[in-house]
């Protein structure tokens, strides 16, 4: 009979059988009689046990001398093992080195964060990044599931653009055959064009912002999901947003039990965030609440991290802050019917200090108003003519929002810093690896 080659994650199906597994050695320890090999193969982590009594002296010595991150094939029998967190282990009777490894830099001792991110190409192999990025993958897959289920189509927005929708200070400029091009900060305006063609669309791609301040929530390259819905007013959009966020959390709870445990994330707390609806609090009331709690804020300011943290913690849930001052929001947001100082917008703030997860609004539909806004913002009319066309040919009420994938990853995983939430983070001081 031939020995099946399997992945660690499938080991539970092979209890009592002899299998072959390709893996890397994370760590090892041993005594004179046993060698314990901590193995990983990218699907899970588990232990291989080599007993001196059961194998040749040559094989036992080989196992004892293996170096961290050596790649190997191990052969042996799978056993259930209650002592290990995975629940299974392999009793190794055959061992073949595939690729040697010497002086692997990330040793079992504690390392500083900067060092780990200098070695990110290797650090990806370790438990915390593994768990975090598996959860990121669930959020990506669940995003497609949710929007497919809701009848959206994915509309890819360009990343090279001629226009600068959110103001010019944090734009990356690049040469485009002698003219200026900008790396996209948002696919929003293109999503609006898509909504007029397909009714419900979402973009999902990278966004670039030359964020000069160093915070634990800002990357210069991040991924954003931007749904846009024709014939939808703001309240329906908020309902969609909260269902989407609850769906994402539910899928992670369903599929990443082991990863959440590896990260020590409180699952009951996460589950509590799936209770809908999320509170809606007006910007006006939010300012009052902050002032009552000794924050030095005045009507008109945008919230910083301490304000956002306080507000969401106050409600112990993600909370929508609605109707922000017009002066601090994008030009296309819909004017409030009763007030000219606020727009029909909402930010979704996450509790526990994870900040703004979503920004969104209903979009203004008035051609002349938007044209005047574009002029007022000093934006190049040649670049926005196409956008105004959307208001010229059958304009309809529509709303949309943008969710930052890495913000959502940090919130769900409980990671303190957004650099953990993306495979290769880009920040002011970090462009490699
Ligand atoms: P913030 O106030 O935190 O700077 P923003 O209001 O500038 O965010 P939006 O333009 O509303 O951000 O973008 C939509 C979403 O994209 C945000 O709610 C957030 O989740 C995410 N996001 C924005 N900027 C960044 C960034 N630099 N890095 C990672 N995610 C970001
Ligand atoms: Mg910002
Ligand atoms: Mg903001
Ligand atoms: Mg915002």
């Amino acid at each position: 009979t031939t020995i099946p080659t399997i992945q660690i994650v499938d080991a539970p199906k092979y209890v009592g059988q002899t299998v072959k597994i390709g893996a890397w050695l994370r760590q090892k320890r041993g005594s004179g009689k046993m060698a314990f090999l901590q193995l990983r193969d990218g699907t899970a982590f588990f232990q291989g046990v080599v007993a001196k009594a059961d194998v040749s002296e040559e094989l036992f010595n080989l196992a004892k001398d293996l170096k961290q991150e050596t790649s190997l094939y191990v052969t042996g029998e799978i056993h259930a093992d209650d002592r290990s967190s995975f629940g299974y282990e392999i009793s190794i009777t055959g061992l073949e080195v595939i690729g040697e490894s010497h002086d692997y830099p990330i040793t079992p001792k504690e390392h500083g964060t900067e060092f780990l991110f200098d070695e990110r190409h290797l650090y990806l192999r370790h438990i915390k990044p593994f768990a975090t990025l598996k959860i990121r993958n669930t959020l990506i897959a669940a995003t497609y599931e949710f929007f497919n289920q809701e009848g959206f189509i994915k509309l890819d927005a360009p990343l090279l653009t001629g226009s600068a929708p959110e103001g010019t200070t944090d734009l990356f400029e690049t040469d485009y055959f002698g003219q200026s091009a900008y790396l996209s900060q948002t696919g929003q305006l293109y999503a609006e064009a898509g909504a007029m063609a397909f009714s419900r669309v979402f973009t999902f791609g990278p966004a670039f912002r030359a964020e000069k301040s160093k915070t634990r929530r800002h990357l210069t390259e991040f991924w954003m999901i931007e749904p846009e819905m024709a014939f939808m007013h703001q309240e329906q959009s908020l309902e969609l947003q909260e269902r989407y966020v609850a769906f994402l959390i539910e899928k992670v709870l369903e599929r990443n039990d082991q990863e959440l445990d590896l990260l020590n994330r409180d699952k009951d707390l996460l589950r509590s965030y799936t209770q809908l609806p999320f509170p809606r609090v007006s910007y006006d009331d939010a300012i009052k609440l902050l002032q009552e709690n000794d924050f030095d804020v005045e009507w008109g300011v945008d919230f910083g991290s301490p304000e956002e943290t306080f507000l969401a913690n106050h409600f112990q849930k993600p909370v929508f802050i609605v109707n922000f001052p017009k002066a601090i929001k994008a030009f296309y947001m819909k004017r409030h019917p009763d007030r000219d100082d606020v727009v029909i917008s909402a930010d979704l703030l996450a509790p526990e200090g994870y900040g703004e997860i979503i920004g969104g609004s209903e979009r203004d539909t008035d051609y002349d108003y938007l044209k005047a806004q574009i002029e007022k913002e000093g934006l190049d009319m040649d670049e926005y003519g196409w956008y105004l066309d959307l208001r010229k040919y059958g304009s309809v009420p529509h709303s949309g929002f943008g969710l930052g994938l890495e913000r959502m990853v940090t919130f769900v995983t409980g990671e303190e810093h957004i650099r953990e939430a993306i495979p290769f983070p880009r920040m002011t001081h970090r462009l490699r690896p």
Side-chain angles (χ1 to χ4, degrees):
T1 58
T2 53
I3 296 172
T5 300
I6 69 160
Q7 293 187 303
I8 295 175
V9 72
D10 292 324
K13 293 181 220 154
Y14 291 87
V15 174
Q17 292 186 51
T18 298
V19 298
K20 181 174 174 180
I21 296 177
W24 288 263
L25 179 74
R26 291 177 49 232
Q27 280 172 42
K28 72 164 198 266
R29 60 190 176 80
S31 62
K33 291 179 180 157
M34 306 283 267
F36 299 100
L37 310 183
Q38 305 305 325
L39 303 171
R40 63 167 187 88
D41 74 343
T43 70
F45 302 88
F46 86 156
Q47 175 167 275
V49 183
V50 192
K52 192 172 181 180
D54 296 346
V55 300
S56 69
E57 192 171 340
E58 196 191 345
L59 194 146
F60 189 72
N61 288 337
L62 174 66
K64 261 179 34 189
D65 291 341
L66 287 172
K67 302 279 186 296
Q68 199 185 349
E69 287 306 311
T70 298
S71 52
L72 33 95
Y73 286 117
V74 295
T75 311
E77 200 179 299
I78 301 291
H79 298 286
D81 178 55
D82 294 340
R83 288 160 303 175
S84 82
S85 58
F86 183 65
Y88 301 86
E89 63 176 30
I90 182 169
S91 299
I92 296 173
T93 46
L95 199 161
E96 180 192 333
V97 170
I98 307 167
E100 290 185 11
S101 167
H102 297 283
D103 305 318
Y104 184 72
I106 310 176
T107 57
K109 71 165 199 191
E110 286 273 312
H111 294 283
T113 304
E114 287 307 309
F115 173 80
L116 292 175
F117 279 86
D118 286 342
E119 305 288 347
R120 181 63 161 173
H121 54 296
L122 301 175
Y123 182 42
L124 287 177
R125 305 174 180 200
H126 293 246
I127 287 182
K128 206 166 86 139
F130 174 85
T132 306
L133 296 176
K134 289 267 282 200
I135 289 173
R136 175 188 170 98
N137 185 62
T138 298
L139 295 177
I140 293 169
T143 290
Y144 284 98
E145 286 162 30
F146 181 81
F147 288 109
N148 282 336
Q149 185 175 299
E150 297 281 333
F152 284 63
I153 76 152
K154 179 169 180 263
L155 184 99
D156 302 305
L159 298 183
L160 285 168
T161 64
S163 56
E166 308 268 325
T168 48
T169 52
D170 53 2
L171 270 180
F172 287 109
E173 191 173 353
T174 183
D175 174 68
Y176 193 74
F177 308 111
Q179 72 174 80
S180 275
Y182 305 95
L183 297 185
S184 172
Q185 295 185 305
T186 160
Q188 141 90 53
L189 303 185
Y190 298 97
E192 285 188 52
M196 300 304 126
F198 301 97
S199 182
R200 293 182 181 194
V201 300
F202 70 108
T203 72
F204 189 173
F208 303 89
R209 297 188 191 180
E211 307 278 8
K212 276 159 210 114
S213 61
K214 290 184 188 135
T215 80
R216 57 192 181 84
R217 290 185 194 157
H218 290 90
L219 295 161
T220 54
E221 180 182 298
F222 64 99
W223 287 68
M224 190 152 56
I225 295 120
E226 293 181 280
E228 192 72 34
M229 299 77 69
F231 303 104
M232 203 182 265
H233 291 288
Q234 175 74 343
E235 181 51 34
Q236 291 163 279
S237 171
L238 297 187
E239 283 164 20
L240 182 79
Q241 291 172 43
E242 61 191 2
R243 279 198 295 116
Y244 171 40
V245 168
F247 184 87
L248 292 178
I249 297 172
E250 278 159 14
K251 291 299 150 191
V252 170
L253 284 165
E254 245 171 73
R255 297 173 192 173
N256 297 102
D257 191 62
Q258 198 191 337
E259 285 77 20
L260 290 168
D261 285 344
L262 290 171
L263 295 166
N264 291 318
R265 186 64 170 132
D266 183 337
K267 288 181 272 189
D268 292 329
L269 188 60
L270 270 186
R271 200 166 287 110
S272 74
Y273 301 147
T274 64
Q275 296 291 315
L276 300 184
F278 297 152
R280 281 100 164 119
V281 178
S282 72
Y283 174 88
D284 295 356
D285 287 345
I287 288 286
K288 276 188 216 134
L289 189 62
L290 288 164
Q291 286 170 343
E292 282 161 20
N293 286 277
D294 299 326
F295 280 84
D296 184 18
V297 289
E298 271 172 46
W299 198 97
V301 298
D302 200 0
F303 299 134
S305 173
E307 290 82 22
E308 290 177 352
T309 300
F310 172 84
L311 288 169
N313 282 347
H314 183 81
F315 296 94
Q316 297 184 317
K317 273 191 146 194
V319 55
F320 285 116
I321 309 297
V322 306
N323 300 344
F324 276 82
K326 184 166 176 291
I328 55 170
K329 287 292 177 186
F331 74 86
Y332 47 72
M333 294 192 178
K334 189 174 175 65
R335 291 160 291 169
H336 194 281
D338 311 322
R339 282 175 65 176
D340 59 8
D341 57 346
V342 299
V343 285
I344 303 178
S345 60
D347 281 7
L348 182 67
L349 308 180
E352 302 176 72
Y354 295 101
E356 181 189 323
I357 302 289
I358 293 181
S361 78
E362 187 159 340
R363 320 307 190 187
D364 212 286
T365 50
D366 187 86
Y367 182 94
D368 296 321
Y369 170 75
L370 286 173
K371 185 159 182 280
Q373 285 287 104
I374 290 166
E375 277 160 4
K376 206 170 104 194
E377 299 257 328
L379 298 170
D380 184 354
M381 199 53 80
D382 290 346
E383 297 295 345
Y384 288 89
W386 70 265
Y387 181 69
L388 287 173
D389 274 356
L390 305 177
R391 307 303 192 266
K392 202 162 142 188
Y393 303 109
S395 188
V396 301
H398 62 292
S399 302
F401 62 95
L403 175 138
L405 176 64
E406 291 76 16
R407 295 271 176 95
M408 193 64 199
V409 172
T410 54
F411 173 42
V412 175
T413 58
E415 289 285 5
E416 286 302 310
H417 199 293
I418 197 162
R419 68 184 155 225
E420 310 280 350
I422 188 164
F424 295 96
R426 293 291 175 257
M427 294 176 286
T428 3
H429 66 291
R430 186 168 290 289
L431 193 53
R432 55 185 65 88

